[in-house]
Amino acid sequence: MIANYHTHTFRCHHASGVERDYIEKAIAEGLTVMGFSDHVPMPFPDGHQSGFRIRIEELEDYVRTLQALREEYKDRIEILIGFEAEYYPAYFDAMLDLLAPYDYDYMILGQHFIDNEASSYAATPVTDEAYITRYVDQVLEGLSTGKYTYLAHPDVYNFTGDENVYYKHMKRLCEGCKSMNIPVEINLLGLMGKRHYPSDRFYRIAAEVGNDAVIGCDAHHVKDVADPEALRAGEEFAAKYGLRVLETVELKNPKK
Ligand SMILES: [Zn+2]
Ligand SMILES: [Zn+2]
């Protein structure tokens, strides 16, 4: 691995570690590009305070800290400033407005819920086709904005109903990603945590469609950055399906 685009910090309130320690680990593991993608602040109405994101009032410090580190480390590693962001249609414009004053490089799409955090988490088992339809529709609509660089954990949606229904919608998802030139992420947090993703059934479809893959650490602790054992597992996983793994990805500018 030379580039990782999926990194969290203590700022999202469920990860640990400060930016500098993540950067030092990235350098020690030989990375040349280190992208931070902490969970984006989301301007929900009624003052709803999310428990797993950077808070709105903490956003400035996140960006300023990374800007200073980007400068300090510029001869040793390229630091990218990004966000892992959902696509919630009702809040999307307000979210972009919130980020607009800041200098940042990219967003990855991590669709953890449908519409907002009041619905059930994407990893909760679901059997109803109506939900997977909406989930995939929302992901594709988000990607079609052109603002997302890649799709994080594309297989987080835990549909446990009819396999033909899963195939139909995930094929639609994979074909959409391919046509929009969006890589799909092999998520090392899920792989090492033995979660239901990355899933064989999803990557069989991605292989059939011919998606490009990217390995993402989804680091929530400093030790997760380019962890050699996790990387080996990720590469083996990709090789099993003959997936093309991109070493670096082309950033899509979210400010255009
Ligand atoms: Zn997280
Ligand atoms: Zn993440």
Side-chain angles (χ1 to χ4, degrees):
M1 172 177 267
I2 56 169
N4 169 53
Y5 302 91
H6 197 162
T7 313
H8 298 279
T9 72
F10 76 98
R11 294 179 195 276
C12 65
H13 305 279
H14 66 275
S16 67
V18 295
E19 291 85 350
R20 182 182 297 280
D21 292 344
Y22 282 92
I23 293 167
E24 290 288 343
K25 177 71 158 66
I27 293 170
E29 298 293 357
L31 300 198
T32 57
V33 178
M34 178 60 163
F36 285 86
S37 57
D38 219 346
H39 295 277
V40 75
M42 195 68 78
F44 290 120
D46 314 322
H48 168 76
Q49 187 72 265
S50 177
F52 67 95
R53 308 172 177 285
I54 302 173
R55 296 193 180 122
I56 291 172
E57 63 274 19
E58 297 164 338
L59 172 61
E60 174 152 3
D61 201 39
Y62 172 67
V63 179
R64 301 273 179 250
T65 300
L66 285 173
Q67 284 171 331
L69 290 165
R70 180 171 62 187
E71 181 61 23
E72 179 184 335
Y73 281 89
K74 67 171 187 257
D75 297 329
R76 301 171 67 194
I77 191 166
E78 183 183 3
I79 307 289
L80 297 172
I81 304 174
F83 297 95
E84 178 174 13
E86 292 80 357
Y87 174 70
Y88 297 149
Y91 309 112
F92 188 63
D93 289 343
M95 181 192 87
L96 291 177
D97 287 348
L98 202 62
L99 304 180
Y102 299 102
D103 165 23
Y104 68 105
D105 301 300
Y106 73 104
M107 298 196 303
I108 57 176
L109 178 58
Q111 190 74 349
H112 298 107
F113 297 84
I114 298 170
D115 291 331
N116 58 61
E117 294 170 22
S119 64
S120 69
Y121 179 45
T124 308
V126 170
T127 57
D128 186 339
E129 181 171 6
Y131 288 104
I132 190 170
T133 304
R134 270 176 68 66
Y135 184 84
V136 170
D137 285 350
Q138 212 155 75
V139 168
L140 290 174
E141 189 178 304
L143 295 175
S144 75
T145 64
K147 297 191 182 293
Y148 292 97
T149 287
Y150 80 56
L151 179 56
H153 42 60
D155 42 358
V156 68
Y157 201 73
N158 196 3
F159 185 77
T160 52
D162 184 342
E163 279 302 314
N164 295 316
V165 169
Y166 183 83
Y167 178 84
K168 178 172 79 179
H169 291 286
M170 288 300 152
K171 185 153 189 213
R172 196 158 75 78
L173 180 64
C174 288
E175 285 173 344
C177 288
K178 187 167 169 68
S179 73
M180 290 185 267
N181 194 24
I182 301 279
V184 292
E185 180 198 65
I186 296 171
N187 185 281
L188 297 186
L189 178 69
L191 189 62
M192 299 314 280
K194 310 226 179 307
R195 297 184 179 182
H196 67 281
Y197 61 92
S199 78
D200 292 308
R201 61 179 182 164
F202 178 85
Y203 277 95
R204 274 196 293 272
I205 302 168
E208 182 190 326
V209 170
N211 288 102
D212 285 336
V214 55
I215 291 178
C217 296
D218 200 355
H220 283 72
H221 304 285
V222 170
K223 67 172 174 48
D224 302 335
V225 177
D227 172 63
E229 188 192 337
L231 287 181
R232 254 195 315 278
E235 278 155 17
E236 273 169 27
F237 186 88
K240 197 159 60 165
Y241 298 101
L243 296 162
R244 185 165 88 113
V245 177
L246 305 177
E247 284 288 309
T248 60
V249 298
E250 190 188 324
L251 300 183
K252 294 199 164 55
N253 182 354
K255 303 190 85 169
K256 273 203 313 220

